[in-house]
Amino acid sequence: ATTPFAEGGCRYAYHAHLSKKASRISSNAVILKRFKSHTIMEDRRRQYFQQMEISTIAHFLANEYNKSSARPKHCAKIKMLQTAVVEVTGGTTTTEDNQYYFVEDPLPTNGTKFTRYCNNVGYYLDTTIDETLVRFMKFTYEITNHSLIVTDLQGVDAKNKYYLTDAAILSRDVLRFGTTNLGCQAMDQCIASLDRLVMQRGWKNI
């Protein structure tokens, strides 16, 4: 489709169909996402590959969380969508007219509403934040020895599993993970916010 069906603060989202299946993607019917900002070509390429790195790390940590004792049996599993990057050539011999997109599988719908559960500065939706999401975020912080945290969780809750997309990673290394990595202060804010929530809800061993 040439018209986006949705947009967020940073990206446009389009329905698309791939003529050839991409690695890391399970179907040919996909979602393409494009950054709103326009930068010089080298920065544009880097921007997309940074986001693919974020999704890869978040996907790995979600799988580790699902297998770990940090997720009690009553807590849902987490599926973090993986992304690939495609380059669409502009029909010239230079790369200046080329466009880049993220490719990912569509989120399952099943009548569930897309929800942004929290952001990357410690704010969360009190009515929708779930114990398993809090446990997952704290798990990513602890398992990486406090070097990063996966946050800005958004997606759908479907059949005892959260399907999440477009996560952010906050890291002490501010040269990685793009512009949504707001560094140590944002990490501290997120952890303090999660700790307050755990205390309010009475969740144990988090």
Side-chain angles (χ1 to χ4, degrees), residues 88-99:
V88 180
T89 59
T92 65
T93 56
T94 68
T95 61
E96 290 301 316
D97 296 325
N98 293 0
Q99 293 288 336

Side-chain angles (χ1 to χ4, degrees), residues 11-93:
R11 290 171 280 267
Y12 296 108
Y14 304 81
H15 291 293
H17 192 278
L18 298 179
S19 59
K20 184 179 180 181
K21 186 177 175 182
S23 62
R24 303 155 60 94
I25 308 300
S26 63
S27 68
N28 292 81
V30 296
I31 304 299
L32 296 183
K33 294 181 178 179
R34 179 170 62 87
F35 279 116
K36 291 181 175 181
S37 61
H38 296 283
T39 58
I40 62 174
M41 177 58 63
E42 189 60 36
D43 288 343
R44 195 187 313 169
R45 287 171 58 92
R46 186 167 178 265
Q47 194 177 26
Y48 282 86
F49 283 101
Q50 278 181 330
Q51 189 62 41
M52 189 168 71
E53 180 187 25
I54 292 169
S55 76
T56 300
I57 293 172
H59 176 82
F60 171 79
L61 291 173
N63 287 343
E64 293 300 303
Y65 167 75
N66 291 337
K67 297 182 294 185
S68 76
S69 60
R71 185 186 69 85
K73 290 183 178 179
H74 68 271
C75 285
K77 290 185 176 182
I78 288 177
K79 169 74 172 180
M80 191 70 68
L81 296 188
Q82 287 189 285
T83 64
V85 176
V86 296
E87 180 180 8
V88 180
T89 59
T92 65
T93 56

Side-chain angles (χ1 to χ4, degrees), residues 117 123-130 197 200-201:
Y117 302 100
Y123 173 79
Y124 57 84
L125 278 177
D126 189 59
T127 55
T128 58
I129 194 72
D130 180 82
L197 181 61
Q200 291 168 5
R201 298 289 178 88

Side-chain angles (χ1 to χ4, degrees), residues 87-157:
E87 180 180 8
V88 180
T89 59
T92 65
T93 56
T94 68
T95 61
E96 290 301 316
D97 296 325
N98 293 0
Q99 293 288 336
Y100 294 88
Y101 297 89
F102 306 114
V103 185
E104 67 181 28
D105 290 312
L107 289 166
T109 51
N110 302 329
T112 57
K113 181 182 178 181
F114 182 90
T115 302
R116 188 177 185 184
Y117 302 100
C118 61
N119 65 12
N120 59 341
V121 291
Y123 173 79
Y124 57 84
L125 278 177
D126 189 59
T127 55
T128 58
I129 194 72
D130 180 82
E131 180 181 353
T132 197
L133 299 176
V134 173
R135 286 183 178 275
F136 169 62
M137 286 186 280
K138 289 295 292 284
F139 172 82
T140 65
Y141 183 68
E142 298 295 340
I143 201 68
T144 60
N145 294 320
H146 303 179
S147 65
L148 63 81
I149 183 172
V150 177
T151 186
D152 203 3
L153 303 184
Q154 51 199 304
V156 298
D157 178 8

